[in-house]
Amino acid sequence: MGSNLHRRAIVGIAEILCLLVLTACNDNSGMQPASGGKPYEVLVLGTDTAAVNTVRDALTALTETALPQQEPSFDVSVAYGEIDASTQYARSIVVVTADSTRFTQPSVRYEKNVYARPQMIIYITTPSTERLKAFLNGKGTKTIAELLSRAETNRQITYLRTHHSMKALELTEKQFGYRIHAPEDMLASKGGKDFLWLSNNANSGMQNICLFYSDNIDSVLQTNIKGEKNGMYMKTVPTSLIQSHAEGRDIIRGLWEMEGDAMGGPFVAHCWKDSITGKTMTALAFVYAPEMKKRNKIKQLEAVLYTMKVKGER
């Protein structure tokens, strides 16, 4: 790979309980056909046109943060009617039912792998479109979006268990004592002191993962990822950074750029305290794909970060 990058997310608990019921049903374990569709495609359907359109509009309005250009969180389509042979194999389905004789408040539940595998079906019930709008404007849209996003991440993690780069896994085990399920095409690598760069080295849609012991991301990037000329190096864009915390990890999202060059793109970093060394372990994924949309590329890599565990840990 060398030193060049190439020219390459209800007020109060009482109201939440009243407005939102999340019921996770058991997966079907029998043999099922494969679900259809691409990652982050969502089908919204139901017999009440106004209610279906309300959910469609709420999901369509969501956009991804920390990308160079605005991209929708989901690719949403609609169907008016019940689930049937033409729709039952979609990977992510949101079924909307509005009926004042059956429901007194908005409610959400979900099931997995009902007609196909992998599949997420979210059921939204409401007494009226007006109550549905109020619910979605509150915490409803965020909750639905989180369920859909988590399902996509879990699908990718499951796929990576049996479709990953053995070279990347072996290098990570050897240098850090961690296992990682990187994409099968991530075969290029570059090592350094407490640093490992993995890449698919693609001419189009370049995906990369950097692993290192440090929470000083910019210092590590400047030292280890250089540009074509002296004085060129990778760095983060401070004004783009969004920080959060989940599953014991500090998560940083934002944009990266090459100092002295017109290169850049999205990144996401997970940082946590290594249980063995006591050092901060950072796993950083970044994409360079100026010719294409980047949402699915960076989300695929974040799923990879969640597969990173100490060797021998399940």
Side-chain angles (χ1 to χ4, degrees):
M1 179 164 52
S3 62
N4 179 19
L5 273 172
H6 306 310
R7 289 290 174 191
R8 329 234 154 27
I10 337 205
V11 178
I13 294 177
E15 292 187 17
I16 294 174
L17 292 174
C18 290
L19 291 175
L20 181 62
V21 178
L22 293 176
T23 304
C25 299
N26 293 330
D27 293 359
N28 289 341
S29 57
M31 295 297 294
Q32 294 172 302
S35 57
K38 298 178 181 179
Y40 298 94
E41 287 185 344
V42 179
L43 173 64
V44 181
L45 63 77
T47 57
D48 188 300
T49 300
V52 170
N53 290 345
T54 296
V55 174
R56 175 202 62 193
D57 293 345
L59 291 178
T60 301
L62 296 175
T63 57
E64 286 301 296
T65 58
L67 292 178
Q69 292 83 35
Q70 182 171 291
E71 295 185 39
S73 296
F74 305 100
D75 301 319
V76 185
S77 60
V78 298
Y80 303 107
E82 305 285 350
I83 294 180
D84 58 22
S86 67
T87 57
Q88 65 183 3
Y89 301 122
R91 65 192 290 121
S92 293
I93 304 174
V94 179
V95 181
V96 189
T97 305
D99 190 337
S100 61
T101 67
R102 296 168 57 195
F103 311 113
T104 60
Q105 58 197 15
S107 169
V108 175
R109 67 182 179 89
Y110 69 89
E111 294 180 302
K112 298 179 181 179
N113 306 332
V114 178
Y115 304 104
R117 181 181 295 267
Q119 185 180 62
M120 167 65 82
I121 302 183
I122 298 175
Y123 301 91
I124 305 174
T125 56
T126 181
S128 67
T129 301
E130 290 70 27
R131 293 288 299 277
L132 176 62
K133 288 180 180 178
F135 170 63
L136 294 173
N137 289 334
K139 298 195 176 186
T141 300
K142 180 180 178 181
T143 298
I144 296 164
E146 287 177 348
L147 287 172
L148 292 168
S149 294
R150 189 182 309 130
E152 290 291 354
T153 298
N154 289 339
R155 287 173 187 141
Q156 183 63 25
I157 290 172
T158 299
Y159 177 81
L160 288 167
R161 287 173 185 159
T162 53
H163 300 78
H164 56 262
S165 167
M166 287 303 299
K167 180 177 180 180
L169 186 148
E170 291 166 358
L171 286 171
T172 306
E173 280 188 345
K174 181 178 180 180
Q175 186 157 353
F176 296 100
Y178 278 85
R179 297 173 60 85
I180 192 170
H181 291 163
E184 289 178 298
D185 64 349
M186 200 163 277
L187 300 174
S189 64
K190 175 189 174 184
K193 179 175 172 53
D194 292 333
F195 177 85
L196 178 63
W197 179 5
L198 306 169
S199 179
N200 64 358
N201 220 19
N203 291 320
S204 177
M206 188 181 182
Q207 293 178 292
N208 310 267
I209 293 175
C210 296
L211 310 174
F212 49 89
Y213 284 129
S214 178
D215 57 2
N216 192 331
I217 293 175
D218 280 297
S219 176
V220 173
L221 296 179
Q222 180 174 350
T223 300
N224 293 280
I225 304 185
K226 305 289 188 178
E228 290 183 324
K229 299 179 181 179
N230 290 336
M232 292 183 178
Y233 56 87
M234 182 177 173
K235 65 179 183 178
T236 64
V237 180
T239 56
S240 73
L241 303 184
I242 300 171
Q243 300 189 42
S244 60
H245 186 85
E247 300 185 24
R249 299 182 176 192
D250 292 321
I251 301 174
I252 306 170
R253 307 176 195 280
L255 303 177
W256 66 271
E257 63 184 8
M258 186 65 71
E259 176 70 22
D261 202 353
M263 300 176 65
F267 82 90
V268 57
H270 288 196
C271 309
W272 66 94
K273 186 175 182 179
D274 182 82
S275 60
I276 298 175
T277 66
K279 300 177 181 178
T280 295
M281 184 77 214
T282 296
L284 182 148
F286 70 97
V287 169
Y288 181 61
E291 74 288 355
M292 64 178 64
K293 293 182 178 180
K294 302 163 185 64
R295 179 195 67 193
N296 288 8
K297 291 288 184 182
I298 194 66
K299 283 182 172 290
Q300 179 192 36
L301 288 184
E302 181 158 20
V304 173
L305 302 189
Y306 282 114
T307 72
M308 191 169 172
K309 296 182 179 181
V310 174
K311 181 180 178 180
E313 180 181 284
R314 291 184 176 275

Coordinates of all heavy atoms in Angstrom, one line a residue, residues 45 52 70 182 238 242 258:
L45 N -45.4 -0.1 4.7 CA -46.6 -0.5 4.0 C -47.8 -0.5 5.0 O -47.6 -0.5 6.3 CB -46.5 -1.8 3.3 CG -46.2 -3.1 4.1 CD1 -47.4 -3.6 4.8 CD2 -45.7 -4.1 3.1
V52 N -49.4 5.6 6.4 CA -48.2 5.1 5.7 C -47.3 6.2 5.2 O -46.1 6.2 5.4 CB -48.6 4.2 4.5 CG1 -47.4 3.9 3.6 CG2 -49.2 2.9 5.0
Q70 N -24.7 15.5 2.1 CA -25.8 14.9 2.8 C -26.3 13.7 2.1 O -26.5 13.6 0.9 CB -27.0 16.0 2.8 CG -28.2 15.5 3.5 CD -29.2 16.6 3.7 OE1 -29.0 17.6 4.4 NE2 -30.3 16.6 3.0
A182 N -12.5 -8.3 9.4 CA -12.5 -7.3 8.4 C -13.0 -7.9 7.1 O -13.0 -9.1 6.9 CB -11.1 -6.7 8.2
P238 N -11.7 19.2 12.9 CA -12.2 19.4 14.3 C -13.7 19.9 14.3 O -14.4 19.4 15.2 CB -11.3 20.5 14.8 CG -10.0 20.4 14.1 CD -10.4 20.0 12.7
I242 N -18.2 14.5 16.1 CA -19.4 14.2 16.9 C -19.0 13.0 17.8 O -18.6 12.0 17.3 CB -20.6 13.8 16.0 CG1 -21.0 14.9 15.0 CG2 -21.8 13.4 16.9 CD1 -22.0 14.5 14.0
M258 N -6.6 15.4 4.0 CA -5.2 15.3 3.8 C -4.6 16.7 3.8 O -4.9 17.5 3.0 CB -4.8 14.5 2.5 CG -3.3 14.3 2.3 SD -2.6 13.1 3.6 CE -3.4 11.6 3.1

